[in-house]
Amino acid sequence: MRIIKQGETELVELTASYNRVLAEDLRADYDVPGFDRSPYDGYALRSQDTSDQTPVFFEVVGHIGAGSVYESYLEAKQAVRIMTGAAIPRGADAVIMLEDVTSFAEHEKTFVSINKKLYHHQNISFQGEDVKKGNVLVEKGTVINPGIIALLATFGYAKVPVKKKPVIGVIATGSELLEVDQPLEPGKIRNSNAYMIISQLDRAGAIATYYGQLTDDVQESLTKITSVIDEVDYLITTGGVSVGDFDLLPEIYQHLEADVLFNKVAMRPGSVTTVAKMKDKLLFGLSGNPSACYVGFELFTKPVIDYFLEKHEIGNEKQVAILSEDFSKKNPFDRFIRGYYYLEDGKLYAGPAGKDKSNMVHSLAKVNCFIHLPGGDRGYKTGDRVNIHLLT
Amino acid sequence: MRIIKQGETELVELTASYNRVLAEDLRADYDVPGFDRSPYDGYALRSQDTSDQTPVFFEVVGHIGAGSVYESYLEAKQAVRIMTGAAIPRGADAVIMLEDVTSFAEHEKTFVSINKKLYHHQNISFQGEDVKKGNVLVEKGTVINPGIIALLATFGYAKVPVKKKPVIGVIATGSELLEVDQPLEPGKIRNSNAYMIISQLDRAGAIATYYGQLTDDVQESLTKITSVIDEVDYLITTGGVSVGDFDLLPEIYQHLEADVLFNKVAMRPGSVTTVAKMKDKLLFGLSGNPSACYVGFELFTKPVIDYFLEKHEIGNEKQVAILSEDFSKKNPFDRFIRGYYYLEDGKLYAGPAGKDKSNMVHSLAKVNCFIHLPGGDRGYKTGDRVNIHLLT
């Protein structure tokens, strides 16, 4: 975190701001309500004229909808018919609801009969009672939801200052990779990691730029990385980072004179995750194994994106859950199990999303959390409390 | 639900399919693994040649990376150096991990010395052990997440069949409404509902088409609605549905000969929510009050969108939570409180997102659930178990 940069601010249309990160505090540009107004359909009048002893007749001297204003000053025993949200006429100090009056006409005038004592200020929404002008309503770093959109509209944000999304390049490496539309060949598999990462980037609020897949050739990879590095804020490669003979990222980092921050993590899966720094860019070398790749992204790349976006919360939300299955085998390393959490009767449970062999791509489909099982000399049992990382 | 239509299927690029609803079952087009393969970097050999009594020397006769194949047949005391994911050579029945061998050269040949008994089929990922060809991996109606993207790529879905998003028109009505970029005027407020609804539509997976705001004029509204109704699957109007004199939707429904399905709901807020049917379209008449509008959308429009998309789950997720604040006032009507849920020590709590006066737009910002308080002759207390609707 100490070495990574934070992104810039851009203005987007209000309708394009949903789910973006607010880059400045959202402030009220006026009091809300902006004037004393009626919370109901009814009649505005002077409370001192009302009585619960005897019916009082009020002359209806005006009729205003929301958005219009009664220009005169309300006198004794006058009433103005008023709609929800309309401004209280000067002179009036209370509103009686529509259903509490009886109206009648006489000599071409309209009257209402009121049989109820109102108190001073009854049924009035006062200027500024919701929000005072200048108040901070939402702090920068917040992800914009529909309620915040309503606030932005209310306070005149036709354009919204949001954090620019980081642009993150994706390159898949591995001579065994086929493109998605290619037929299978012996010994080969279709490239799934790049597409998975692209959608993880989407979910994390970044822009993915896909540069295709490369064979395990140092020169080819080097040329590619060098040619694209200036177009992106960060670069993700998948594959090529384990200790196998054809794993070429270490050599590439050397050629690039990139500063390898770490290239091994005491965890499973994802132990070969590598992060290197090159000028102000980070290069994320994720595993070619789908679940290690998934975990590596969420644990190492996602927090960097959050930081770039100056979000309040860095990294995925963490919670405590009750384990719904045994993990009886002990493991010296911390494990991040592809998990599925659910609420049952108000309690949070988590279990494996499927068989957790690291090569089993199909259990990824149900994953909505990682279950973090610290390494040590014992396994874990159903009912144990464990930390989980939410992926939604 | 009985009268609403369901949408069609369209093919989109894999990279555009994230967060869309799968329109057909996702099936494996081959076994996974597609061939017997190595889960580790190591040496493929015949387990019958190994021993834990005495070191055995194997001649290294080949060296294959992921994606290539050893063409010969493996003979006694031969080993093939093999990378993770590479196909097991014919004749071999086990893989020993790289760290368990010592290699040496002699007479320009390479040998490995192995001091460990392997069993038949040790360290082999078998063809089809993850997934059998033809298996349904993900059912239609599922929202596509990054793990499902990985599966789609693995099984060659360069284009993905997804449900077409419904196109939903949005019209704001009310003479009191200013546009977002207009300065305030006495008695007027800026239109916030339309923008809020547009983002709620986005969150729900629909396409919003905004037709602007109208004054409270029947003829103008009628002309507008008639001119746009053929462009949309459903139409949402905000405002104009309460019992105030300037509320014009009832008259408009009559002119359109729309069949009003209901125009009052025994709930707070949102009691004036109206839904009418016109040919195969639904017209949603939501309240002009921001929180009633928000609730009306989530309770009535969102489930219709889910049904249109043929999602597995219709409507927002419901959970049981522990109330974190008193609601001591009884209310004859069911209430949907703008709430905020949170997990604490694995338990789900919910409280009001802010002051819940229905005209207070600013409490919408924190809303991530509705707390459903059934109407009746008592209030609710901190610690009571209540149903909540999740809005995320």
Side-chain angles (χ1 to χ4, degrees), chain B residues 305-331:
Chain B
I305 294 170
D306 293 338
Y307 187 83
F308 184 97
L309 292 169
E310 297 189 56
K311 280 194 188 175
H312 288 312
E313 310 292 337
I314 303 295
N316 289 305
E317 185 184 341
K318 283 150 199 83
Q319 292 293 347
V320 176
I322 299 162
L323 205 54
S324 68
E325 267 188 45
D326 289 348
F327 287 85
S328 39
K329 268 198 191 168
K330 66 178 183 183
N331 196 307

mmCIF file of all heavy atoms in Angstrom, chain B residues 305-331:
data_model
loop_
_atom_site.group_PDB
_atom_site.id
_atom_site.type_symbol
_atom_site.label_atom_id
_atom_site.label_comp_id
_atom_site.label_asym_id
_atom_site.label_seq_id
_atom_site.Cartn_x
_atom_site.Cartn_y
_atom_site.Cartn_z
ATOM 1 N N ILE B 305 -39.137 -7.806 -12.976
ATOM 2 C CA ILE B 305 -37.892 -7.873 -13.762
ATOM 3 C C ILE B 305 -37.248 -9.251 -13.580
ATOM 4 O O ILE B 305 -36.817 -9.881 -14.550
ATOM 5 C CB ILE B 305 -36.919 -6.749 -13.323
ATOM 6 C CG1 ILE B 305 -37.514 -5.384 -13.669
ATOM 7 C CG2 ILE B 305 -35.547 -6.935 -13.967
ATOM 8 C CD1 ILE B 305 -36.753 -4.210 -13.061
ATOM 9 N N ASP B 306 -37.195 -9.727 -12.350
ATOM 10 C CA ASP B 306 -36.606 -11.048 -12.083
ATOM 11 C C ASP B 306 -37.339 -12.142 -12.869
ATOM 12 O O ASP B 306 -36.720 -13.059 -13.399
ATOM 13 C CB ASP B 306 -36.684 -11.379 -10.586
ATOM 14 C CG ASP B 306 -35.811 -10.472 -9.740
ATOM 15 O OD1 ASP B 306 -34.860 -9.884 -10.290
ATOM 16 O OD2 ASP B 306 -36.074 -10.353 -8.534
ATOM 17 N N TYR B 307 -38.657 -12.014 -12.905
ATOM 18 C CA TYR B 307 -39.465 -13.015 -13.603
ATOM 19 C C TYR B 307 -39.224 -12.934 -15.107
ATOM 20 O O TYR B 307 -39.072 -13.953 -15.781
ATOM 21 C CB TYR B 307 -40.945 -12.787 -13.270
ATOM 22 C CG TYR B 307 -41.845 -13.857 -13.811
ATOM 23 C CD1 TYR B 307 -42.021 -15.060 -13.121
ATOM 24 C CD2 TYR B 307 -42.533 -13.677 -15.005
ATOM 25 C CE1 TYR B 307 -42.847 -16.048 -13.623
ATOM 26 C CE2 TYR B 307 -43.368 -14.658 -15.512
ATOM 27 C CZ TYR B 307 -43.517 -15.845 -14.819
ATOM 28 O OH TYR B 307 -44.336 -16.828 -15.324
ATOM 29 N N PHE B 308 -39.162 -11.716 -15.609
ATOM 30 C CA PHE B 308 -38.869 -11.490 -17.031
ATOM 31 C C PHE B 308 -37.539 -12.153 -17.389
ATOM 32 O O PHE B 308 -37.383 -12.758 -18.443
ATOM 33 C CB PHE B 308 -38.803 -9.984 -17.292
ATOM 34 C CG PHE B 308 -38.598 -9.585 -18.730
ATOM 35 C CD1 PHE B 308 -39.677 -9.236 -19.530
ATOM 36 C CD2 PHE B 308 -37.323 -9.540 -19.284
ATOM 37 C CE1 PHE B 308 -39.481 -8.859 -20.859
ATOM 38 C CE2 PHE B 308 -37.125 -9.174 -20.610
ATOM 39 C CZ PHE B 308 -38.216 -8.830 -21.403
ATOM 40 N N LEU B 309 -36.564 -12.038 -16.489
ATOM 41 C CA LEU B 309 -35.224 -12.595 -16.709
ATOM 42 C C LEU B 309 -35.151 -14.087 -16.372
ATOM 43 O O LEU B 309 -34.093 -14.702 -16.501
ATOM 44 C CB LEU B 309 -34.200 -11.828 -15.855
ATOM 45 C CG LEU B 309 -33.929 -10.366 -16.255
ATOM 46 C CD1 LEU B 309 -33.115 -9.656 -15.174
ATOM 47 C CD2 LEU B 309 -33.189 -10.303 -17.593
ATOM 48 N N GLU B 310 -36.282 -14.639 -15.907
ATOM 49 C CA GLU B 310 -36.334 -16.058 -15.502
ATOM 50 C C GLU B 310 -35.258 -16.417 -14.488
ATOM 51 O O GLU B 310 -34.663 -17.503 -14.539
ATOM 52 C CB GLU B 310 -36.250 -16.984 -16.724
ATOM 53 C CG GLU B 310 -37.428 -16.801 -17.667
ATOM 54 C CD GLU B 310 -37.494 -17.843 -18.772
ATOM 55 O OE1 GLU B 310 -37.519 -19.045 -18.440
ATOM 56 O OE2 GLU B 310 -37.499 -17.461 -19.958
ATOM 57 N N LYS B 311 -35.007 -15.493 -13.572
ATOM 58 C CA LYS B 311 -34.047 -15.789 -12.507
ATOM 59 C C LYS B 311 -34.589 -16.882 -11.583
ATOM 60 O O LYS B 311 -35.803 -17.032 -11.428
ATOM 61 C CB LYS B 311 -33.812 -14.529 -11.669
ATOM 62 C CG LYS B 311 -32.861 -13.545 -12.278
ATOM 63 C CD LYS B 311 -32.464 -12.538 -11.208
ATOM 64 C CE LYS B 311 -31.666 -11.390 -11.787
ATOM 65 N NZ LYS B 311 -31.393 -10.365 -10.766
ATOM 66 N N HIS B 312 -33.677 -17.595 -10.941
ATOM 67 C CA HIS B 312 -34.105 -18.589 -9.948
ATOM 68 C C HIS B 312 -34.860 -17.929 -8.804
ATOM 69 O O HIS B 312 -35.868 -18.442 -8.330
ATOM 70 C CB HIS B 312 -32.879 -19.290 -9.335
ATOM 71 C CG HIS B 312 -32.219 -20.237 -10.277
ATOM 72 N ND1 HIS B 312 -32.923 -21.154 -11.002
ATOM 73 C CD2 HIS B 312 -30.917 -20.395 -10.608
ATOM 74 C CE1 HIS B 312 -32.071 -21.846 -11.746
ATOM 75 N NE2 HIS B 312 -30.860 -21.398 -11.529
ATOM 76 N N GLU B 313 -34.325 -16.809 -8.346
ATOM 77 C CA GLU B 313 -34.908 -16.141 -7.186
ATOM 78 C C GLU B 313 -35.688 -14.931 -7.666
ATOM 79 O O GLU B 313 -35.156 -14.096 -8.393
ATOM 80 C CB GLU B 313 -33.802 -15.679 -6.229
ATOM 81 C CG GLU B 313 -32.786 -16.746 -5.865
ATOM 82 C CD GLU B 313 -33.375 -17.855 -5.009
ATOM 83 O OE1 GLU B 313 -34.394 -17.614 -4.345
ATOM 84 O OE2 GLU B 313 -32.799 -18.969 -5.016
ATOM 85 N N ILE B 314 -36.944 -14.850 -7.245
ATOM 86 C CA ILE B 314 -37.793 -13.727 -7.635
ATOM 87 C C ILE B 314 -37.877 -12.758 -6.455
ATOM 88 O O ILE B 314 -38.243 -13.160 -5.346
ATOM 89 C CB ILE B 314 -39.206 -14.221 -8.015
ATOM 90 C CG1 ILE B 314 -39.142 -15.268 -9.140
ATOM 91 C CG2 ILE B 314 -40.109 -13.047 -8.400
ATOM 92 C CD1 ILE B 314 -38.641 -14.750 -10.456
ATOM 93 N N GLY B 315 -37.550 -11.519 -6.698
ATOM 94 C CA GLY B 315 -37.587 -10.512 -5.626
ATOM 95 C C GLY B 315 -36.309 -10.534 -4.811
ATOM 96 O O GLY B 315 -35.471 -11.430 -4.954
ATOM 97 N N ASN B 316 -36.176 -9.546 -3.966
ATOM 98 C CA ASN B 316 -34.962 -9.447 -3.159
ATOM 99 C C ASN B 316 -34.877 -10.577 -2.140
ATOM 100 O O ASN B 316 -35.888 -11.101 -1.691
ATOM 101 C CB ASN B 316 -34.932 -8.088 -2.466
ATOM 102 C CG ASN B 316 -34.659 -6.952 -3.446
ATOM 103 O OD1 ASN B 316 -33.666 -6.980 -4.158
ATOM 104 N ND2 ASN B 316 -35.558 -5.986 -3.513
ATOM 105 N N GLU B 317 -33.645 -10.918 -1.800
ATOM 106 C CA GLU B 317 -33.399 -11.969 -0.815
ATOM 107 C C GLU B 317 -33.985 -11.574 0.535
ATOM 108 O O GLU B 317 -33.849 -10.436 0.968
ATOM 109 C CB GLU B 317 -31.875 -12.151 -0.685
ATOM 110 C CG GLU B 317 -31.473 -13.289 0.225
ATOM 111 C CD GLU B 317 -29.950 -13.378 0.399
ATOM 112 O OE1 GLU B 317 -29.211 -12.824 -0.428
ATOM 113 O OE2 GLU B 317 -29.538 -13.998 1.393
ATOM 114 N N LYS B 318 -34.633 -12.527 1.179
ATOM 115 C CA LYS B 318 -35.224 -12.258 2.488
ATOM 116 C C LYS B 318 -34.456 -13.017 3.560
ATOM 117 O O LYS B 318 -34.033 -14.144 3.346
ATOM 118 C CB LYS B 318 -36.697 -12.649 2.500
ATOM 119 C CG LYS B 318 -37.562 -11.618 1.786
ATOM 120 C CD LYS B 318 -38.794 -12.206 1.145
ATOM 121 C CE LYS B 318 -39.353 -11.288 0.082
ATOM 122 N NZ LYS B 318 -38.677 -11.428 -1.247
ATOM 123 N N GLN B 319 -34.249 -12.358 4.695
ATOM 124 C CA GLN B 319 -33.536 -12.969 5.806
ATOM 125 C C GLN B 319 -34.194 -12.568 7.117
ATOM 126 O O GLN B 319 -35.004 -11.639 7.156
ATOM 127 C CB GLN B 319 -32.068 -12.518 5.819
ATOM 128 C CG GLN B 319 -31.238 -13.036 4.655
ATOM 129 C CD GLN B 319 -31.024 -14.540 4.681
ATOM 130 O OE1 GLN B 319 -31.283 -15.198 5.692
ATOM 131 N NE2 GLN B 319 -30.572 -15.082 3.557
ATOM 132 N N VAL B 320 -33.829 -13.296 8.163
ATOM 133 C CA VAL B 320 -34.296 -12.950 9.505
ATOM 134 C C VAL B 320 -33.168 -12.209 10.218
ATOM 135 O O VAL B 320 -32.027 -12.680 10.212
ATOM 136 C CB VAL B 320 -34.656 -14.223 10.291
ATOM 137 C CG1 VAL B 320 -35.040 -13.876 11.728
ATOM 138 C CG2 VAL B 320 -35.788 -14.965 9.604
ATOM 139 N N ALA B 321 -33.474 -11.065 10.807
ATOM 140 C CA ALA B 321 -32.447 -10.288 11.501
ATOM 141 C C ALA B 321 -32.931 -9.907 12.893
ATOM 142 O O ALA B 321 -34.129 -9.983 13.192
ATOM 143 C CB ALA B 321 -32.104 -9.027 10.705
ATOM 144 N N ILE B 322 -31.970 -9.514 13.714
ATOM 145 C CA ILE B 322 -32.279 -9.056 15.065
ATOM 146 C C ILE B 322 -32.401 -7.535 15.023
ATOM 147 O O ILE B 322 -31.509 -6.855 14.515
ATOM 148 C CB ILE B 322 -31.154 -9.476 16.036
ATOM 149 C CG1 ILE B 322 -31.041 -11.004 16.063
ATOM 150 C CG2 ILE B 322 -31.420 -8.915 17.437
ATOM 151 C CD1 ILE B 322 -29.721 -11.502 16.622
ATOM 152 N N LEU B 323 -33.505 -7.030 15.515
ATOM 153 C CA LEU B 323 -33.755 -5.602 15.483
ATOM 154 C C LEU B 323 -32.796 -4.891 16.442
ATOM 155 O O LEU B 323 -32.654 -5.303 17.600
ATOM 156 C CB LEU B 323 -35.211 -5.357 15.890
ATOM 157 C CG LEU B 323 -35.904 -4.092 15.400
ATOM 158 C CD1 LEU B 323 -35.824 -3.958 13.888
ATOM 159 C CD2 LEU B 323 -37.373 -4.117 15.840
ATOM 160 N N SER B 324 -32.131 -3.830 15.955
ATOM 161 C CA SER B 324 -31.143 -3.141 16.785
ATOM 162 C C SER B 324 -31.704 -1.856 17.403
ATOM 163 O O SER B 324 -30.989 -1.149 18.100
ATOM 164 C CB SER B 324 -29.897 -2.817 15.964
ATOM 165 O OG SER B 324 -30.200 -1.843 14.994
ATOM 166 N N GLU B 325 -32.973 -1.558 17.135
ATOM 167 C CA GLU B 325 -33.607 -0.378 17.732
ATOM 168 C C GLU B 325 -35.080 -0.649 17.974
ATOM 169 O O GLU B 325 -35.679 -1.489 17.307
ATOM 170 C CB GLU B 325 -33.474 0.837 16.798
ATOM 171 C CG GLU B 325 -32.265 1.684 17.094
ATOM 172 C CD GLU B 325 -32.255 2.979 16.297
ATOM 173 O OE1 GLU B 325 -33.300 3.648 16.221
ATOM 174 O OE2 GLU B 325 -31.188 3.298 15.752
ATOM 175 N N ASP B 326 -35.653 0.087 18.904
ATOM 176 C CA ASP B 326 -37.092 -0.031 19.152
ATOM 177 C C ASP B 326 -37.908 0.653 18.045
ATOM 178 O O ASP B 326 -37.487 1.675 17.504
ATOM 179 C CB ASP B 326 -37.459 0.683 20.466
ATOM 180 C CG ASP B 326 -36.947 -0.056 21.690
ATOM 181 O OD1 ASP B 326 -36.522 -1.220 21.545
ATOM 182 O OD2 ASP B 326 -36.984 0.534 22.785
ATOM 183 N N PHE B 327 -39.030 0.043 17.724
ATOM 184 C CA PHE B 327 -40.070 0.721 16.954
ATOM 185 C C PHE B 327 -41.323 0.631 17.803
ATOM 186 O O PHE B 327 -42.166 -0.252 17.614
ATOM 187 C CB PHE B 327 -40.287 0.049 15.591
ATOM 188 C CG PHE B 327 -39.182 0.320 14.628
ATOM 189 C CD1 PHE B 327 -38.036 -0.459 14.636
ATOM 190 C CD2 PHE B 327 -39.269 1.358 13.719
ATOM 191 C CE1 PHE B 327 -37.000 -0.209 13.754
ATOM 192 C CE2 PHE B 327 -38.240 1.618 12.842
ATOM 193 C CZ PHE B 327 -37.108 0.838 12.854
ATOM 194 N N SER B 328 -41.409 1.528 18.768
ATOM 195 C CA SER B 328 -42.411 1.307 19.819
ATOM 196 C C SER B 328 -43.829 1.642 19.373
ATOM 197 O O SER B 328 -44.782 1.077 19.881
ATOM 198 C CB SER B 328 -42.041 2.098 21.073
ATOM 199 O OG SER B 328 -41.530 3.350 20.718
ATOM 200 N N LYS B 329 -43.953 2.541 18.393
ATOM 201 C CA LYS B 329 -45.306 2.881 17.954
ATOM 202 C C LYS B 329 -45.951 1.728 17.195
ATOM 203 O O LYS B 329 -45.361 1.188 16.265
ATOM 204 C CB LYS B 329 -45.267 4.101 17.026
ATOM 205 C CG LYS B 329 -45.437 5.426 17.738
ATOM 206 C CD LYS B 329 -45.818 6.504 16.733
ATOM 207 C CE LYS B 329 -45.747 7.889 17.357
ATOM 208 N NZ LYS B 329 -45.826 8.949 16.337
ATOM 209 N N LYS B 330 -47.174 1.404 17.570
ATOM 210 C CA LYS B 330 -47.882 0.404 16.785
ATOM 211 C C LYS B 330 -48.408 1.062 15.515
ATOM 212 O O LYS B 330 -48.522 2.278 15.435
ATOM 213 C CB LYS B 330 -49.023 -0.197 17.601
ATOM 214 C CG LYS B 330 -50.126 0.791 17.936
ATOM 215 C CD LYS B 330 -51.244 0.132 18.710
ATOM 216 C CE LYS B 330 -52.356 1.166 18.956
ATOM 217 N NZ LYS B 330 -53.441 0.627 19.757
ATOM 218 N N ASN B 331 -48.690 0.260 14.538
ATOM 219 C CA ASN B 331 -49.170 0.774 13.259
ATOM 220 C C ASN B 331 -50.108 -0.264 12.657
ATOM 221 O O ASN B 331 -49.773 -1.451 12.630
ATOM 222 C CB ASN B 331 -47.978 1.015 12.330
ATOM 223 C CG ASN B 331 -48.351 1.901 11.143
ATOM 224 O OD1 ASN B 331 -49.317 1.613 10.428
ATOM 225 N ND2 ASN B 331 -47.609 2.970 10.941
#
